[in-house]
């Protein structure tokens, strides 16, 4: 199934240790680029988080944010680091000896000092299991959203490939008319400058001119590329880069068709092809 790279997912859970919330945003990017924001107390789980995301996603700029609010029932009062408090008391005493007019910190100031308040003990393995389980659920939600959006993109691209085929058919139907108009034009010009027109010479000139205007190979390659686009849309694999390459090939054939155009209807076909190709190219930038 075709997947978009643009999506958002949010998952939350009330665990024994507290409330966990994962928010994951995904936008288009050439490669997989992952940014993780986690509370410092859960930073030890970051490696596992990266491995989990890498298994589920292939491309996109991913921002994964984990929020954690410790459960009040799990706090069991305020635990203080008494050893650190003793060290702070000695340090404050030394400061007061050297700086007599120094202002002593308040109790609230001391409580705010890093490491003074000891966080409640938790089972790290249980907490990690909760974090990773919720991450997996949130990633599943994200992937499902990307698949829904990808389905819409695939439908739009399929409609454009059908439009391109119609233009190729118009070009094929127009070519005999173009050649006949060329024959008439060349015959009339020769008649103006020659008393007797050499029909064999006229046909030779028409063949030479027709070869320069021939776009059969370009149209065959266009159809081959369009068939390949329809095929890869059903593979269920990351296809964004391959589709982007096919857009370049389509555009190259459309440019050649435009350069060989000899009347306004063929020019209109080439222009319409380029419009359809550009519409596909813009949307393909969002496909994984």
């Amino acid at each position: 199934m075709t997947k978009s790279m643009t999506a958002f997912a949010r998952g939350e859970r009330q665990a024994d240790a507290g409330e966990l919330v994962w928010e994951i945003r995904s936008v288009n990017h050439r490669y997989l680029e992952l940014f993780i924001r986690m509370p410092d107390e859960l930073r030890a789980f970051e490696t596992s988080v990266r491995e989990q995301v890498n298994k589920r996603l292939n491309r996109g700029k991913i921002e994964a944010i984990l929020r954690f609010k410790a459960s009040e029932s799990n706090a069991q009062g305020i635990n203080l680091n008494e050893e650190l408090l003793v060290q702070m008391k000695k340090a404050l005493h030394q400061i007061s000896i050297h700086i007599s007019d120094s202002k002593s910190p308040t109790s609230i100031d001391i409580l705010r000092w890093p490491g003074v308040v000891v966080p409640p003990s938790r089972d790290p393995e249980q907490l990690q299991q909760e974090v990773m389980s919720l991450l997996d659920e949130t990633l599943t939600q994200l992937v499902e959203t990307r698949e829904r959006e990808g389905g819409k993109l695939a439908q739009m691209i399929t409609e454009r490939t059908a439009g391109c085929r119609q233009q190729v058919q118009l070009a094929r139907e127009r070519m005999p008319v173009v050649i006949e108009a060329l024959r008439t034009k060349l015959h009339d010009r020769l008649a103006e400058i020659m008393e007797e027109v050499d029909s064999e010479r006229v046909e030779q000139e028409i063949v030479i001119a027709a070869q320069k205007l021939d776009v059969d190979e370009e149209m065959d390659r266009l159809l081959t590329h369009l068939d390949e686009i329809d095929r890869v849309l059903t593979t269920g694999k990351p296809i964004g880069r391959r589709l982007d390459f096919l857009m370049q090939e389509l555009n190259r054939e459309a440019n050649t068709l435009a350069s060989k155009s000899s009347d306004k209807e063929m020019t209109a076909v080439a222009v319409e092809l380029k419009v359809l190709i550009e519409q596909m190219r813009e949307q393909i930038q969002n496909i994984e």
Side-chain angles (χ1 to χ4, degrees):
M1 181 177 292
T2 303
K3 297 178 184 177
S4 169
M5 285 189 283
T6 303
F8 171 79
R10 187 178 191 274
E12 53 184 293
R13 175 181 297 180
Q14 186 63 50
D16 291 340
E19 183 183 29
L20 295 167
V21 177
W22 271 113
E23 289 185 354
I24 306 178
R25 291 177 176 83
S26 170
V27 296
N28 60 315
H29 195 271
R30 188 174 182 182
Y31 305 104
L32 179 63
E33 186 173 358
L34 178 58
F35 298 92
I36 300 175
R37 292 162 55 188
M38 305 175 66
D40 290 339
E41 55 193 305
L42 304 181
R43 185 63 65 180
F45 307 153
E46 183 174 345
T47 299
S48 299
V49 169
R50 288 187 177 275
E51 291 176 353
Q52 185 81 340
V53 174
N54 286 330
K55 289 179 182 178
R56 302 293 299 275
L57 305 176
N58 292 283
R59 287 182 68 197
K61 184 177 181 179
I62 314 298
E63 182 182 19
I65 302 174
L66 174 62
R67 296 185 174 89
F68 175 62
K69 183 179 179 181
S71 174
E72 295 181 0
S73 60
N74 193 46
Q76 300 177 350
I78 298 178
N79 298 319
L80 301 179
N81 187 337
E82 296 187 5
E83 182 179 349
L84 178 59
L85 286 174
V86 171
Q87 295 175 3
M88 292 182 66
K89 181 179 179 181
K90 292 180 179 178
L92 290 172
H93 178 68
Q94 292 293 325
I95 292 173
S96 64
I97 293 174
H98 297 285
I99 306 175
S100 58
D101 58 347
S102 63
K103 183 178 179 181
S104 299
T106 65
S107 299
I108 297 299
D109 293 333
I110 294 175
L111 288 174
R112 290 172 178 168
W113 191 265
V116 170
V117 178
V118 180
S121 59
R122 306 185 183 97
D123 183 349
E125 293 185 2
Q126 177 64 28
L127 183 55
Q128 182 175 8
Q129 182 179 352
E130 295 283 0
V131 168
M132 300 307 297
S133 174
L134 181 59
L135 174 63
D136 189 60
E137 292 179 7
T138 311
L139 284 171
T140 297
Q141 182 187 147
L142 185 79
V143 170
E144 290 174 350
T145 302
R146 285 162 64 117
E147 288 177 347
R148 286 194 299 270
E149 294 300 318
K152 296 176 183 178
L153 293 176
Q155 181 179 356
M156 187 282 295
I157 293 171
T158 301
E159 292 172 354
R160 299 306 186 277
T161 57
C164 288
R165 286 190 174 87
Q166 291 176 358
Q167 295 304 313
V168 171
Q169 183 61 32
L170 289 175
R172 288 195 187 280
E173 294 172 355
R174 182 65 182 171
M175 279 308 298
V177 178
V178 171
I179 299 301
E180 185 58 33
L182 176 65
R183 175 180 284 107
T184 301
K185 183 178 180 181
L186 185 57
H187 190 280
D188 291 345
R189 285 187 176 180
L190 290 175
E192 291 177 359
I193 62 176
M194 300 174 61
E195 294 182 0
E196 184 177 349
V197 178
D198 185 348
S199 297
E200 185 177 346
R201 176 63 184 278
V202 172
E203 288 303 318
Q204 289 177 350
E205 294 295 331
I206 290 173
V207 170
I208 294 173
Q211 288 176 345
K212 294 180 180 179
L213 298 176
D214 182 36
V215 292
D216 276 347
E217 290 186 8
E218 286 77 8
M219 290 187 289
D220 287 342
R221 285 194 291 268
L222 278 167
L223 291 176
T224 299
H225 296 326
L226 293 171
D227 290 342
E228 179 64 7
I229 290 170
D230 288 341
R231 187 192 70 80
V232 299
L233 285 173
T234 63
T235 59
K237 300 177 182 179
I239 58 175
R241 293 178 187 171
R242 183 165 184 79
L243 288 176
D244 193 49
F245 170 75
L246 288 169
M247 290 304 108
Q248 296 176 37
E249 296 301 305
L250 285 177
N251 202 51
R252 181 179 293 109
E253 303 303 337
N255 285 335
T256 304
L257 188 64
S259 68
K260 290 185 176 182
S261 175
S262 60
D263 73 344
K264 62 180 182 181
E265 291 193 28
M266 289 294 287
T267 300
V269 167
V271 170
E272 182 62 20
L273 277 171
K274 290 175 70 66
V275 169
L276 292 169
I277 293 168
E278 180 61 21
Q279 290 174 350
M280 287 190 286
R281 190 195 66 78
E282 290 178 354
Q283 297 304 321
I284 283 170
Q285 305 308 308
N286 292 319
I287 293 179
E288 184 180 71

